[in-house]
Amino acid sequence: PELLERVAALPPADDTPDVDERRATEPEDSYGLRRLLRGLGRPLLFALLLVVADAGAALLLPILIRHGIDEGVTRGALDGVLVAAAIALGVVLAQWLVQYGGLRAVGRTGERALYALRLKIFSHLQRLGLDYYERELTGRVMTRMTTDVDALTTFLQTGLVQALVSIMTFLGILGALVVIDPQLALVVLATLVPLIIGTVFFRRASVKAYELARERVAGVNADLQENVSGLRLVQAARREAGAEERFAERSDGYRRARVRGQWLISIYFPFVQLLATVATAGVLVLGSGRVAAGTLTAGALVAYLLYIELFFAPVQQLSQVFDGYQQATVSLGRIQELLREPTSTP
């Protein structure tokens, strides 16, 4: 009863997806991300502007801290510290509002696109001939509509925003590091070579692991559906033990594929953190000597160290998003394969 009361207190679900449903159900020769987001240009542009504002706010904070140290702490002027702190507080609050608006805009736009995608998959399944369903397991068909679409949902709702913010923040901080002090920037840029090489190897290996995992989870779902629908025959023939063994074997194959992907992540993430620590140590050693020599201010050094921390954070965030991106890419490819399936009965 308490749950029903809470459900009844929710606002009415009277929102509409605002997509062209007739066009969404029409057959198409090819279907990709561009077709998926067709008609959603304006809301995507609005969301992109919010993402740019979010990345810009992140770049402002080290500059304000630098001003507070050089103009306030070093000179013993409390007013300089208070002004920098007040502006920084305003930036943080504005960034919070921008992040809220960006996530909401991207999430809503993604749900509209996925609504159209579900219509397209379902309408295409209605057009396929019976011979397709005779040779294709029902569980695999269900995986396209559920697991594969869910992978796209997760990426479009959260991963896409995080990826855009991370890329813009990374490029913005790279420019700020060069502008503040080109000599110290060389220390950070030296770590980019192993970072790029490690990222390329990680991407190639993880793509194979994710593709294998998506293929095997489809087999697990198919086996589950076939066993549940034919449970009466399984029990009548006393084949429960064989069904359990087969399901356990397929589930273990999926587990091994996922563990392979997690093993790659467990190597790549600490590697990125190691490069960040090495860059921080190098800048600290070189920068402290320049502060002592008077060629670099203390505020600039602190701001530089903060920028280095922010510089590698987007790389780690992109690595986390990469898991969802790979799953979404593989899922979209499997959905495209289904939509390219010709019907035997025009």
Side-chain angles (χ1 to χ4, degrees):
E2 294 82 2
L3 180 59
L4 291 175
E5 291 178 1
R6 294 174 62 184
V7 172
L10 292 173
D14 55 0
D15 200 2
T16 57
D18 297 328
V19 299
D20 190 344
E21 296 179 355
R22 183 188 61 81
R23 188 171 65 179
T25 57
E26 292 178 349
E28 298 188 57
D29 296 333
S30 62
Y31 193 81
L33 189 61
R34 189 164 60 100
R35 295 284 182 90
L36 177 64
L37 300 176
R38 184 171 53 185
L40 301 175
R42 288 186 177 180
L44 280 177
L45 179 60
F46 173 70
L48 182 61
L49 292 176
L50 293 176
V51 168
V52 172
D54 183 14
L59 296 176
L60 284 177
L61 291 178
I63 296 177
L64 293 171
I65 293 173
R66 172 186 179 179
H67 177 81
I69 293 176
D70 290 341
E71 303 299 328
V73 176
T74 305
R75 300 182 180 183
L78 183 61
D79 291 343
V81 177
L82 293 178
V83 169
I87 297 176
L89 177 61
V91 170
V92 170
L93 293 176
Q95 187 180 19
W96 176 75
L97 292 175
V98 167
Q99 288 175 348
Y100 169 78
L103 285 172
R104 182 177 176 84
V106 173
R108 179 179 174 81
T109 305
E111 284 297 337
R112 291 171 62 187
L114 292 168
Y115 171 73
L117 177 61
R118 289 188 179 95
L119 291 180
K120 183 167 293 293
I121 295 175
F122 187 80
S123 60
H124 187 68
L125 290 174
Q126 306 303 302
R127 287 189 291 266
L128 292 177
L130 293 179
D131 58 319
Y132 173 79
Y133 296 99
E134 290 175 354
R135 68 175 185 270
E136 189 69 35
L137 294 174
T138 306
R140 291 184 180 273
V141 178
M142 291 295 296
T143 300
R144 301 296 181 272
M145 184 65 89
T146 55
T147 306
D148 288 333
V149 173
D150 286 343
L152 284 172
T153 302
T154 302
F155 179 71
L156 288 178
Q157 282 185 336
T158 57
L160 183 60
V161 177
Q162 191 173 1
L164 291 174
V165 172
S166 298
I167 292 173
M168 292 182 181
T169 303
F170 179 82
L171 295 177
I173 292 175
L174 183 60
L177 291 176
V178 175
V179 169
I180 293 176
D181 195 296
Q183 185 177 355
L184 293 179
L186 293 176
V187 178
V188 181
L189 293 176
T191 62
L192 286 182
V193 177
L195 178 63
I196 293 173
I197 294 175
T199 302
V200 170
F201 277 103
F202 169 72
R203 187 179 186 281
R204 289 180 178 177
S206 61
V207 166
K208 297 178 181 179
Y210 292 135
E211 288 179 346
L212 181 61
R214 303 308 290 179
E215 181 63 32
R216 287 183 176 178
V217 74
V220 171
N221 290 338
D223 187 68
L224 173 63
Q225 193 279 332
E226 296 297 324
N227 272 279
V228 171
S229 61
L231 189 59
R232 185 171 300 188
L233 293 175
V234 172
Q235 291 179 345
R238 300 298 301 274
R239 298 294 300 169
E240 296 93 338
E244 292 173 2
E245 183 178 350
R246 185 174 63 253
F247 183 79
E249 182 180 353
R250 292 185 175 180
S251 297
D252 186 59
Y254 172 58
R255 179 193 62 82
R256 290 197 304 270
R258 288 296 299 165
V259 167
R260 169 69 177 174
Q262 294 302 314
W263 178 77
L264 293 170
I265 290 176
S266 69
I267 295 177
Y268 181 70
F269 275 36
F271 174 70
V272 175
Q273 185 61 47
L274 173 64
L275 292 179
T277 305
V278 170
T280 301
V283 168
L284 187 59
V285 170
L286 184 61
S288 59
R290 293 188 54 189
V291 170
T295 58
L296 185 70
T297 64
L301 178 59
V302 171
Y304 215 90
L305 293 174
L306 291 174
Y307 272 132
I308 291 177
E309 184 178 350
L310 293 175
F311 181 74
F312 285 94
V315 178
Q316 293 178 314
Q317 291 170 356
L318 284 172
S319 303
Q320 294 171 349
V321 173
F322 192 72
D323 186 13
Y325 167 75
Q326 289 296 341
Q327 294 189 45
T329 302
V330 174
S331 296
L332 183 59
R334 291 157 66 88
I335 292 172
Q336 290 172 329
E337 181 183 352
L338 170 63
L339 295 177
R340 286 195 297 265
E341 186 72 30
T343 176
S344 59
T345 309

